[in-house]
Amino acid sequence: MSYRTSPADLKGMPPGVPHIIGNEAAERFSFYGMKAVLAVFMTNYLHLMDATPGTPMSTTEATAHYHQFNFWVYATPIFGALLADIFLGKYRTIILLSIVYCAGHAALALMGTSGYSGNWLIAGLVLIAIGSGGIKPCVSAHVGDQFGAKNALLLPRVFNWFYFSINIGAFVSMLLTPWLLEWYGPHWAFGVPGVLMAIATFVFWLGRHRFIHVPAHGLGYLREMFSRKGLPALMKLAPLYLFVAIFWALFDQTGSTWIFQSQDMDRRFLGMDWLPSQIQSINSIFVLTFIPLFAYVIYPGISRIWTLTPLRKISLGLFVMAGSFALIALIQEWIDAGQRPNISWQILAYALLTISEVMVSIVALEFAYTQSPKTMKSTVMCFYLLAVALGNQIVAQINHYIQIPSAANEQLETAIQGLEPDWRDSPRSVILGGYDEITGTDDDFIARIAKGGSSSIEIPGSEQYGKTLEKLRTILGPTDHFPEDDAFLAANGNQLGDDPWGNPIRYERLNATTARLISAGPDKTPNTLWDQGYLLTNTPPEPPAKSSWTDKLHPEKSWLERRQETLGLKSSEQGIEDHFEFTPFSGGQVKLQGAPYFRFFTWLMLGTAVAFIPFTLFYKPRDILQD
């Protein structure tokens, strides 16, 4: 069946616009809803999805995976643009990749039903990255295709609706999906966004006879990219993309490290107890508030004193982003010192972050558009999204680098691979050779495995560590915080003993409820995979939650509590005497964490902001707009 390939001679709104707006709201609900709970799911839920519990994922590892996923979401748009502009056209590309998108949501919702949940997670995220990223450059361009010369003046209004639908979809999903995960579990938390994506695809398909279907251009698209105008335009904008990449490296941590920080904060705000993954929803409200405020009040006011060019707006925004992360670092210092600050401090950081978003993200996108040749507008938009991908890859690689491997886990994986397949599913103890890789010596590990995973590990020198652990157990009550390093060391005569290799055992408080006893291990070198000791947690009982009208909408216990009881990991009669836990480790620690982690990114952003100033002075803008 043939479709119209050029806009109709209309003065009013094109008939396909409601389908595009409805599709965008539902699609953004599905994407942001899934992404809102992804980091918390990986650390708190993933290891409990299968019949045999696994090992919880660390926050650092989850952060690396989260930003690696974000990288692919923003790296795939270039392939979606090529598919649309060379082969299929925008409509068919959107429909095809939306089906892939739906399959990704289905894979996430099916975790725990059969097979290994980690494989379902990988498959789901790969499909969503392909689907979401692939349609990203096509949808907004498809909006512009619907307009002709007579109704082109209505295009800004439609893009306002378009942006409004994005933020409303994101806001609602970031409130609802964490609530579903908390009370009804991952199947609902990932299933509902999947249903919304299916609805988005159906709504878009219903508009097929109302859309303008601009055909693919063939290989002419590539010729434009590598033309005498195309490559110089991209090279001239390349420095801007690098600065924007650092901005996004910080901004997108609202879905990872900021969530993990909020878990240690008092989240009572506006008379409500907020879940950690819900806090980020405030960004959407700030965006809808700050855009008109800056456009009609702030920018005109400043321009009366100092002319605000696009590059100057971006420059100021980069400094504001540094201020936002400086506040986050300060909050983390309070947490590390044993305090529990109110979430309103992080919301203030969100306000600064959103101001930066308005000044950097929106302005940089518009500026890149005006500086590109007429035939390169969509390509330049794709390269802007690649800058977002680069920023997320920076965070992923940093979080990968700061993780120290675990010697015990590496040797255990090798030992499991050497077992007969039938034996891997039977509980057993395995002696690991340790540093000298020879069993029967003083540095052996003992791992107790079940269904191919380690349920516990015994490290050499347990007696030496045990004496210090008993001292901690006697001085800590269920509501106490771990003492500071110097105070605990002084209380023990400035000596905690040595490990079996003569290295001093050190006590390090990581935050109010987490500390560790650690030594350099058999290689006698700190910060390697052979460091060993005990990770200590002292989790105070949660204060009784205040009654809310939502109490009637959910079970008495959270899904996590019910799941732990089903797996036999937590008794329903468990009391406060179980507040103190200690877990032996060999390696597997993190080189950079707590407040120093956030200070690192603060200085990175501040250095980027300073380096951007010469760029604003030497860049000579040349606006190129469509006729």
Side-chain angles (χ1 to χ4, degrees), residues 33-43 66 69 121 125 190:
M34 175 279 304
K35 204 171 77 159
V37 298
L38 182 58
V40 169
F41 170 78
M42 287 190 289
T43 56
Y66 174 89
F69 165 69
L121 176 65
L125 295 182
F190 291 120

Side-chain angles (χ1 to χ4, degrees), residues 493-514:
N494 295 317
Q495 177 63 35
L496 299 181
D498 296 333
D499 67 10
W501 303 277
N503 304 299
I505 297 174
R506 307 187 311 274
Y507 166 84
E508 298 176 354
R509 186 178 75 167
L510 304 179
N511 55 47
T513 60
T514 310

Side-chain angles (χ1 to χ4, degrees), residues 219-297:
L219 295 177
Y221 176 86
L222 293 177
R223 286 194 293 269
E224 292 171 0
M225 182 184 299
F226 294 101
S227 66
R228 286 185 298 175
K229 288 185 178 180
L231 280 179
L234 293 176
M235 294 303 296
K236 188 178 180 182
L237 289 170
L240 175 65
Y241 291 143
L242 292 177
F243 291 115
V244 169
I246 302 300
F247 165 84
W248 283 104
L250 275 70
F251 182 92
D252 275 340
Q253 291 190 59
T254 56
S256 56
T257 57
W258 287 37
I259 291 178
F260 296 135
Q261 182 185 79
S262 69
Q263 291 177 329
D264 296 321
M265 300 180 72
D266 171 17
R267 295 187 301 277
R268 187 76 180 175
F269 183 70
L270 297 179
M272 296 173 52
D273 290 311
W274 294 65
L275 296 169
S277 298
Q278 289 180 319
I279 308 301
Q280 56 190 311
S281 66
I282 201 71
N283 172 248
S284 297
I285 299 301
F286 281 151
V287 165
L288 294 175
T289 303
F290 289 165
I291 287 178
L293 177 64
F294 273 72
Y296 298 110
V297 180

Side-chain angles (χ1 to χ4, degrees), residues 63 78 100 203 229 292 373-374 468 473 506 565 593:
T63 298
I78 188 69
V100 175
V203 168
K229 288 185 178 180
K374 296 176 183 179
T468 307
R473 185 187 290 274
R506 307 187 311 274
E565 291 178 8
Q593 59 187 332

